[in-house]
Amino acid sequence: MIEVKNLTKKYGSFTAVDNISFTVGEGEILGFLGPNGAGKTTTMNMMTGFISSSSGSIKINGFDMLDDALNAKKQLGYMPDVPPLYGDMTVREYLEFVFDIKKVKKSDRQTMLQNICALTGITPMLTRLCSHLSKGYKQRVSLAQALVGMPDVLILDEPTSGLDPKQIIDIRNLIKRLGEHRTIIISSHILSEVSAVCDRVIIINEGKIAAMDTVENFSKDGSASKQIVSVKCGFEEAKDILSNWNAVDKVYLKNEEEGVSTLKVVAKEGKDIREIIFAAFAQREIPIIMLKDAENSLEEAFLNIIKGEYTPENKKPSEDEE
Amino acid sequence: MIAILKKELRTYFTTITGYAFLGFFTLITGYFFISQNINSGYANYNDTLTGSLIMFLLLIPILTMRSFSEEARQKTDQLLYCSPIKITDIVLGKFLAAVILFMIGIVITAVFPCILNFYAANENMDVGLTVAGLIGYFLMGVCFISVGIFISVTTDNQLVAAASTFAVIFMLLMMDNIAQSAPTGSKASLIFTLAAVLAVSVYVYITTKNIAVGIVFALLGGLVISALFLIRPNIYDGAIASVLGWFSVLRRFENSYLGIINISDIVYYITFSSLFIYFTVNTIEKRRWA
């Protein structure tokens, strides 16, 4: 397990990570979410002992990263954001080198190597030079490297970036499987990934923990209570129609183009309002072009926290409709 | 440490580096052997060694330029520093790998003195003299390797590392000349010493991140040096030359050239290399703690 207390990292007057505290237990997968430059990688680099903290403490399975760094590092597997590969080694040579520096017992190596290669799907690449691998395979070898020694704690910095959709699903399943008996922290800026894999989520912004909760709690209020709807009428008219209904709390305009308005409708008390929306517009014979659940709540929480930085993404769904 | 050593040696021989080093090493030593010994019919192999010292300028950078800078560029330093190995072991592993490659070069070229020993007609080669020369030559190379390793940790660009190593080794080889042309007056020495104290204070400040410690260090040092100057100014006569002379790696080689193995020289070489290995370890630690 990992215990982080009051962790701070300062570069001169700039505070990259500001007083972060959390614990991750055994068998738990924690997700680190945050925009670029929020301090995710800095935090992970500190937890793995690559850089030091300005203040605060990190304990990995009870070993302090400052006082007992060698033992703490023995508990860890780290997959950095850039695959740390030696271009002039074959994948097999590379993994054998990692076995050496992680001081894995000679007798365990052969089976462990086979297991890791099977898990990450790199067996056919063992004899290739690392510099000749595609980005996806580099990423997988980097994951294999973190698994060497089968450490109790895995820290994975954006493990699925650069993979194709099939591989992403494979790796997610692998992480879930590994997480049954291990402590895993993954960082990501892909929300669906975090909600698919993680038990708990920490949202980091500007070096601080902006929110920390379980994935269920983030999406507790029920997604059917927030709907995106496109109707063939003006925004004011649609708003009037909907405001006649008690169950509707708020109506926002997302987009209005060529006589079609796209609205976001929020229900009172988390009710399912899909039928109400249908009934409201059907009465006035206004066609509904589209009706779908609004983004899940994790995404909403995330966007609220880092407001103003994600406007281009917000526009995307409405552009797709045309 | 063994893991790093093995990996480094393999890298030397899976890339062109090791072959380039050994090739040039043999070629240049061979050239000096032909011109100093064979063509002039003279059986002192130490002349070949002295002549070929100049090749350190080119060959040591080949050995050391990629050692840490390439790790930083490939981001593999993350792998090393997050593994359960001590920084000292990483540095020593890399250092020893370079030393071993250098030794292989010396062993290959040891064929030359053997040729001399078997075929020298008029005068026999002095084996003791040659061994002393080779030991001095080896230790000097080791010093330069430690400098090169230290420089490679300060940059992630191999070319910058190579050029800086070249420049520093050039300075070290030229140190005798620089020392001779240094001003000898006691006032100049005082200023030089004060500047040195200031430089050390700045280093102390950078390592401890504590401005008070740095200032106290500078004031105390300045006070002691000025007081000494007022009481006994004559100890400052020629101080610059003797300080710079201490850095003259070449001067130490003169003893070996003459066949003398001097304990103080060996201690000097070992101190010199250890100092730079310490600097290397310290630089990595400091960067992680900065």
Side-chain angles (χ1 to χ4, degrees):
Chain A
M1 63 178 275
I2 305 173
E3 286 175 272
V4 173
K5 250 186 220 153
N6 304 330
L7 193 64
T8 302
K9 179 74 184 175
K10 284 183 179 156
Y11 292 105
S13 60
F14 173 68
T15 308
V17 173
D18 193 0
N19 208 15
I20 283 183
S21 304
F22 60 88
T23 50
V24 198
E26 201 192 305
E28 188 176 15
I29 304 178
L30 177 81
F32 257 28
L33 269 178
N36 297 333
K40 289 177 299 202
T41 299
T42 311
T43 311
M44 292 192 148
N45 279 340
M46 281 191 280
M47 285 193 287
T48 52
F50 179 58
I51 56 173
S52 66
S53 51
S54 303
S55 65
S57 75
I58 299 152
K59 279 192 177 140
I60 312 285
N61 271 356
F63 297 107
D64 194 291
M65 192 42 95
L66 200 68
D67 301 332
D68 199 357
L70 288 192
N71 273 323
K73 286 176 186 173
K74 265 186 199 162
Q75 319 293 321
L76 269 177
Y78 181 35
M79 175 181 177
D81 49 350
V82 181
L85 306 183
Y86 291 101
D88 58 319
M89 288 188 189
T90 64
V91 174
R92 182 188 289 278
E93 283 169 345
Y94 173 72
L95 290 175
E96 277 165 2
F97 170 64
V98 179
F99 273 108
D100 277 344
I101 59 173
K102 290 201 176 171
K103 295 166 185 159
V104 179
K105 268 193 240 149
K106 285 242 158 60
S107 51
D108 299 346
R109 290 189 186 183
Q110 198 52 42
T111 37
M112 199 182 273
L113 181 70
Q114 281 168 0
N115 279 344
I116 291 170
C117 292
L119 282 173
T120 50
I122 55 169
T123 316
M125 298 294 152
L126 274 176
T127 52
R128 293 244 191 126
L129 279 181
C130 289
S131 56
H132 292 173
L133 296 176
S134 68
K135 188 158 187 279
Y137 270 110
K138 280 184 182 162
Q139 200 77 6
R140 290 207 250 172
V141 174
S142 178
L143 178 61
Q145 161 275 123
L147 292 176
V148 165
M150 286 295 172
D152 289 341
V153 177
L154 285 174
I155 297 184
L156 314 173
D157 201 346
E158 302 196 357
T160 56
S161 79
L163 300 181
D164 67 41
K166 164 87 168 60
Q167 293 168 344
I168 289 181
I169 293 169
D170 288 349
I171 294 293
R172 277 183 197 166
N173 289 337
L174 173 62
I175 292 172
K176 270 189 188 165
R177 195 137 50 94
L178 291 168
E180 283 165 14
H181 306 289
R182 287 189 177 74
T183 308
I184 300 185
I185 298 187
I186 68 171
S187 88
S188 182
H189 48 241
I190 306 164
L191 295 141
S192 57
E193 175 163 301
V194 170
S195 50
V197 174
C198 300
D199 307 312
R200 209 147 56 95
V201 180
I202 289 182
I203 299 180
I204 297 185
N205 193 33
E206 290 171 357
K208 294 193 181 87
I209 294 186
M212 170 161 55
D213 214 331
T214 59
V215 173
E216 290 87 53
N217 281 351
F218 269 117
S219 38
K220 202 182 190 175
D221 43 352
S223 47
S225 69
K226 287 172 191 153
Q227 295 291 320
I228 303 285
V229 54
S230 294
V231 286
K232 223 170 177 177
C233 68
F235 172 62
E236 290 304 325
E237 191 184 352
K239 200 177 172 182
D240 279 346
I241 295 169
L242 286 169
S243 55
N244 291 336
W245 294 77
N246 278 336
V248 175
D249 188 21
K250 283 175 189 138
V251 180
Y252 306 100
L253 176 67
K254 291 202 77 141
N255 193 16
E256 189 171 1
E257 255 171 23
E258 294 171 15
V260 176
S261 333
T262 304
L263 323 161
K264 183 176 176 186
V265 187
V266 181
K268 278 179 188 151
E269 296 146 13
K271 280 180 190 156
D272 184 348
I273 48 162
R274 284 173 294 188
E275 290 174 19
I276 291 170
I277 292 173
F278 170 77
F281 289 108
Q283 269 182 5
R284 307 283 282 268
E285 293 185 358
I286 293 171
I288 296 179
I289 312 283
M290 180 201 72
L291 179 64
K292 65 167 189 181
D293 290 352
E295 302 93 21
N296 70 43
S297 316
L298 182 58
E299 185 158 353
E300 216 160 278
F302 181 68
L303 292 181
N304 281 338
I305 286 157
I306 55 160
K307 216 164 227 166
E309 293 178 29
Y310 260 68
T311 33
E313 252 88 349
N314 275 346
K315 274 185 189 159
K316 254 185 193 160
S318 47
E319 281 166 9
D320 292 343
E321 287 152 28
E322 286 173 48
Chain B
M1 190 184 84
I2 303 294
I4 304 283
L5 177 65
K6 260 165 58 190
K7 182 220 125 201
E8 286 297 309
L9 280 177
R10 180 167 51 202
T11 308
Y12 278 134
F13 291 107
T14 50
T15 58
I16 198 168
T17 318
Y19 302 103
F21 175 79
L22 292 178
F24 284 122
F25 192 95
T26 320
L27 184 74
I28 298 172
T29 315
Y31 164 76
F32 280 101
F33 178 64
I34 299 283
S35 71
Q36 304 280 346
N37 293 121
I38 302 286
N39 284 352
S40 52
Y42 184 55
N44 188 351
Y45 185 64
N46 287 1
D47 281 330
T48 299
L49 294 181
T50 315
S52 62
L53 281 180
I54 195 82
M55 76 179 173
F56 281 159
L57 276 177
L58 280 173
L59 290 187
I60 300 295
I62 291 184
L63 264 189
T64 61
M65 65 183 188
R66 59 174 291 147
S67 117
F68 277 100
S69 48
E70 187 67 2
E71 302 272 359
R73 197 189 59 77
Q74 289 185 106
K75 306 273 181 198
T76 40
D77 51 347
Q78 281 199 333
L79 174 70
L80 295 184
Y81 303 152
C82 296
S83 303
I85 9 171
K86 291 194 201 114
I87 304 290
T88 319
D89 285 346
I90 299 175
V91 175
L92 280 179
K94 284 176 174 285
F95 171 69
L96 287 181
V99 169
I100 286 173
L101 194 64
F102 178 56
M103 250 159 98
I104 295 174
I106 289 184
V107 169
I108 293 175
T109 52
V111 119
F112 299 145
C114 292
I115 293 173
L116 274 187
N117 201 22
F118 284 123
Y119 297 106
N122 299 331
E123 42 174 339
N124 282 327
M125 190 191 74
D126 188 333
V127 176
L129 184 75
T130 308
V131 169
L134 280 173
I135 291 175
Y137 183 76
F138 169 70
L139 288 172
M140 194 157 139
V142 169
C143 284
F144 290 147
I145 289 173
S146 70
V147 173
I149 297 267
F150 169 65
I151 290 172
S152 88
V153 88
T154 58
T155 170
D156 59 3
N157 186 324
Q158 286 192 40
L159 282 179
V160 172
S164 320
T165 311
F166 181 93
V168 172
I169 292 178
F170 182 76
M171 292 281 285
L172 286 173
L173 286 174
M174 289 286 117
M175 203 48 102
D176 263 345
N177 294 27
I178 298 170
Q180 272 163 24
S181 58
T184 49
S186 55
K187 268 195 188 129
S189 304
L190 178 70
I191 294 168
F192 172 77
T193 332
L194 286 175
V197 167
L198 195 69
V200 174
S201 312
V202 169
Y203 180 75
V204 167
Y205 164 61
I206 292 171
T207 21
T208 59
K209 296 252 168 233
N210 190 333
I211 190 96
V213 174
I215 288 172
V216 167
F217 194 91
L219 284 179
L220 272 181
L223 215 66
V224 170
I225 283 159
S226 313
L228 263 178
F229 181 73
L230 292 175
I231 302 163
R232 290 181 62 193
N234 54 337
I235 60 164
Y236 283 93
D237 287 339
I240 301 183
S242 48
V243 169
L244 292 181
W246 190 87
F247 283 101
S248 174
V249 182
L250 205 55
R251 190 181 290 174
R252 305 275 163 172
F253 185 66
E254 283 164 12
N255 282 334
S256 315
Y257 174 78
L258 297 172
I260 304 163
I261 300 176
N262 202 334
I263 293 295
S264 78
D265 292 341
I266 294 177
V267 170
Y268 168 83
Y269 283 130
I270 293 174
T271 315
F272 189 98
S273 314
S274 318
L275 201 66
F276 275 95
I277 288 173
Y278 169 75
F279 283 152
T280 312
V281 174
N282 203 33
T283 308
I284 299 173
E285 292 279 7
K286 206 177 71 208
R287 191 176 305 150
R288 293 175 57 232
W289 298 109

